[in-house]
Amino acid sequence: YALCYGHFVSEEYFPHGKVTELLEENCEKFINEYKPDFAFLYLETTDSIGHEIGWGTEEYYKAANHSFGIIEKIMSNLPEDYSVIVLADHGGHDQTHGTSDPIDMTIPLFIKTDHEIDKEKFENANIIDVAPTICDIIGIEPSKKWKGKSLLK
């Protein structure tokens, strides 16, 4: 398996809102036209605002809310049988992250799928469980070297 398509928009050249808009438009078009087995969309603005202005600030929550609006728009245009996983790669505090403090380590994780989720595994989910879950959803074997476990039953 290999990456077959990529689309990157640099925040060095476009303002935050425009980056998200361009990514969302491209993602929707690509998914609806090519119906890939797997698509990954990284919305960087919330992380950038966290580093520039601070996690937990009004601007941060505004960026997070905007990202959820984009996710909602994309999801409303996806085929009904598509699975969607939404998560952050880390939390943060002030203008940094990387400590073992729960505010840095706790992330949101949402899964919409026709597959049955193991609620017990989900309650104790870790970011390392996401890749094996994706493999399970699309029907391929995860690497034996991975420590994470699928969140599906």
Side-chain angles (χ1 to χ4, degrees):
Y1 299 93
L3 177 67
C4 66
Y5 175 80
H7 180 83
F8 173 77
V9 182
S10 175
E11 288 192 342
E12 289 185 38
Y13 301 99
F14 295 95
H16 293 305
K18 187 65 174 173
V19 169
T20 305
E21 179 184 315
L22 291 169
L23 289 170
E24 178 265 322
E25 288 171 2
N26 184 269
C27 183
E28 265 189 81
K29 181 180 176 193
F30 181 79
I31 289 172
N32 286 314
E33 188 172 336
Y34 294 101
K35 312 265 188 280
D37 292 329
F38 176 79
F40 173 85
L41 172 64
Y42 176 66
L43 301 175
E44 179 186 12
T45 303
T46 307
D47 184 65
S48 295
I49 295 293
H51 284 287
E52 292 170 17
I53 299 168
W55 272 266
T57 63
E58 183 179 337
E59 293 88 347
Y60 175 82
Y61 288 119
K62 196 183 276 186
N65 191 45
H66 185 254
S67 291
F68 274 107
I70 296 297
I71 293 163
E72 184 177 48
K73 183 176 181 206
I74 290 170
M75 286 180 66
S76 71
N77 291 309
L78 290 176
E80 193 61 36
D81 62 343
Y82 256 60
S83 296
V84 177
I85 299 175
V86 177
L87 71 149
D89 56 343
H90 58 76
H93 67 281
D94 300 327
Q95 290 174 282
T96 191
H97 58 82
T99 72
S100 59
D101 188 300
I103 200 160
D104 286 4
M105 300 300 289
T106 304
I107 62 167
L109 174 62
F110 305 94
I111 300 177
K112 177 224 161 251
T113 184
D114 290 341
H115 301 273
E116 191 172 354
I117 299 291
D118 185 323
K119 289 181 175 50
E120 192 173 306
K121 288 183 197 173
F122 190 82
E123 286 178 19
N124 299 304
N126 189 299
I127 198 166
I128 65 173
D129 300 324
V130 174
T133 302
I134 292 168
C135 288
D136 208 2
I137 288 170
I138 62 176
I140 62 174
E141 283 294 316
S143 171
K144 302 268 188 251
K145 296 177 184 177
W146 292 353
K147 293 181 181 173
K149 303 290 183 220
S150 173
L151 301 173
L152 302 185
K153 280 195 171 187

